[in-house]
Amino acid sequence: DADSHLLPPVPKTERESAELSAIMMDVTTLVDEMSLKIILGIEPVDACDAYVAQLKALHIDRAIEIQEKALERYNRM
């Protein structure tokens, strides 16, 4: 029954797709590193504000915007 719970592919332009991939590559690396550091106690849990600032510096807001636009196009189909 997994197919009924999969997210549908949302249409992105070639430019959006390339931009999103570049952003998410850096974001994923940061998330992986910070998650491990927090779990291992290397970074305190209250370092969240700095972590969010780093995500914003990596243009996570733009990635969200791209996804939202693609979802809007999908919903109009």
Side-chain angles (χ1 to χ4, degrees):
D1 193 26
D3 288 342
S4 64
H5 299 287
L6 292 176
L7 292 175
V10 289
K12 294 176 201 67
T13 65
E14 195 172 315
R15 182 177 176 196
E16 286 174 335
S17 186
E19 185 179 3
L20 182 64
S21 292
I23 292 169
M24 291 311 295
M25 186 170 59
D26 293 337
V27 166
T28 301
T29 300
L30 176 64
V31 168
D32 291 345
E33 289 175 0
M34 286 300 291
S35 297
L36 187 59
K37 286 180 180 180
I38 291 171
I39 290 168
L40 294 175
I42 297 169
E43 288 285 335
V45 176
D46 61 355
C48 187
D49 290 337
Y51 181 40
V52 170
Q54 286 178 298
L55 288 170
K56 288 188 181 284
L58 293 175
H59 306 289
I60 192 67
D61 291 330
R62 175 65 182 140
I64 294 168
E65 180 183 327
I66 291 169
Q67 290 286 52
E68 287 175 341
K69 285 182 181 179
L71 178 62
E72 287 172 11
R73 282 193 293 272
Y74 174 81
N75 286 333
R76 285 193 300 255
M77 296 169 98

